[in-house]
Amino acid sequence: MKKAYWVSCYREISDRTRYARYIELALPAITTGGGHFLARDIAAFAYEQGLKDRTIIIEFPDLESARATHDGEAYGAALEALGDGAIRDIRIVEGA
């Protein structure tokens, strides 16, 4: 079975308090779901149309684990805590 990768790119974090609460809830939800953080930082370089924004890459054992974690109750609570405190996009991709 192929691994899956959850990629989050933050365009803006407008509410640091909400973001901090999101992190408190999201980290255990993601690790319990089988996620392993590979990168969590501002992009070192950005090419073409890329932006030097905060980028998170999380490896999961498979596509279903990544999706189930995102759609699960624990991560849902983290999303609720974040609310409109950040603008970002999340993509889940299957490994090659």
Side-chain angles (χ1 to χ4, degrees):
M1 192 165 281
K2 294 180 183 179
K3 292 188 178 194
Y5 300 88
W6 179 340
V7 182
S8 302
C9 296
Y10 284 77
R11 305 293 181 223
E12 177 185 344
I13 299 172
S14 58
D15 188 325
R16 293 283 174 185
T17 302
R18 292 187 85 153
Y19 179 69
R21 181 67 181 138
Y22 161 79
I23 294 299
E24 287 177 23
L25 297 170
L27 291 178
I30 291 167
T31 56
T32 298
H36 174 73
F37 287 84
L38 300 178
R40 289 173 45 186
D41 209 345
I42 303 297
F45 300 96
Y47 298 99
E48 298 178 31
Q49 299 299 313
L51 302 173
K52 287 182 75 174
D53 51 13
R54 183 164 180 72
T55 304
I56 316 296
I57 303 171
I58 308 165
E59 182 181 73
F60 282 86
D62 53 58
L63 194 58
E64 185 51 42
S65 297
R67 188 169 184 206
T69 298
H70 182 274
D71 297 346
E73 189 175 315
Y75 188 72
L79 288 175
E80 187 174 320
L82 179 61
D84 63 356
I87 298 171
R88 63 193 185 144
D89 88 52
I90 296 177
R91 299 159 192 219
I92 297 175
V93 296
E94 194 168 45

